[in-house]
Amino acid sequence: MTNNANVSNISCEEAIDLIAMQLDKFAGDVERLALERHLKTCRHCFDRLEFEKLLKNRLTGMKIDISSEQLEGKIKALLNGFQ
């Protein structure tokens, strides 16, 4: 397990990148802990994580082709509205 003292503070921009990594299960222990620390103090990023979890779960449940460029553009526009 990683020592919390070794985890640096991160910016909102870094947190948003880590949110995607965590949702796709690519975040390591250090990244996960840094994100958790950030989310404890940043409501905006916490809300962003919750939104992206919900979006991913709904898209997965719908069994649609999420590779279409049109859908990708709509999703990016939604996510950009959160920044």
Side-chain angles (χ1 to χ4, degrees):
M1 175 151 294
T2 304
N3 183 344
N4 238 0
N6 294 334
V7 177
S8 63
N9 292 325
I10 60 173
S11 67
C12 289
E13 185 175 310
E14 293 167 314
I16 289 170
D17 289 341
L18 290 177
I19 285 170
M21 288 177 61
Q22 181 167 326
L23 289 175
D24 292 335
K25 305 209 185 318
F26 292 122
D29 287 342
V30 172
E31 291 90 357
R32 184 181 47 77
L33 289 171
L35 180 59
E36 287 175 6
R37 178 183 280 177
H38 182 83
L39 294 175
K40 286 180 183 177
T41 60
C42 183
R43 182 66 187 188
H44 172 76
C45 289
F46 179 84
D47 289 345
R48 172 78 179 247
L49 173 64
E50 294 303 309
F51 173 78
E52 289 198 28
K53 280 185 197 176
L54 179 64
L55 179 62
K56 184 173 182 167
N57 287 337
R58 292 228 173 131
L59 289 175
T60 300
M62 295 173 77
K63 307 237 187 288
I64 58 174
D65 178 16
I66 61 172
S67 64
S68 81
E69 288 182 31
Q70 183 180 14
L71 180 59
E72 182 180 342
K74 287 180 182 181
I75 291 170
K76 284 181 179 179
L78 278 172
L79 293 175
N80 287 335
F82 262 88
Q83 293 179 350

